[in-house]
Amino acid sequence: PIVILPDNNSTLYWNCINTQGYACNISPDVGGPIALPQGSSPIRPRTDTAYTLNCNGIAPSPPLTLNVDVQVASTTIKEIIP
């Protein structure tokens, strides 16, 4: 999986071949049906998210899934003794 920190942006890229004008889509939604077989979209998941790409065409391929994990930032407390 890809790991990002909370409130950080990332970019999701895709490239489908043999779509012959058919639409692709990504779920969860990253801006509606994707008309172009290749492109990118900014993402900012707040929790671990699995993005699934579906492309139709003359030779449709099985859906592809990318897992994005949101890593919880850890806090370190140090004692300072005067």
Side-chain angles (χ1 to χ4, degrees):
I2 305 298
V3 178
I4 63 173
L5 295 174
D7 296 322
N8 281 359
N9 294 329
S10 189
T11 303
L12 190 61
Y13 296 92
W14 65 91
N15 185 9
C16 299
I17 58 173
N18 295 326
T19 57
Q20 300 297 322
Y22 290 86
C24 298
N25 63 44
I26 297 174
S27 61
D29 187 18
V30 293
I34 313 280
L36 299 175
Q38 64 185 21
S40 64
S41 180
I43 57 171
R44 190 176 185 171
R46 298 191 184 278
T47 60
D48 295 353
T49 304
Y51 292 93
T52 301
L53 172 68
N54 287 292
C55 287
N56 300 314
I58 59 173
S61 56
L64 299 173
T65 300
L66 172 69
N67 294 309
V68 178
D69 292 347
V70 179
Q71 183 179 27
V72 177
S74 62
T75 303
T76 302
I77 300 173
K78 293 183 180 181
E79 180 180 1
I80 301 174
I81 300 174

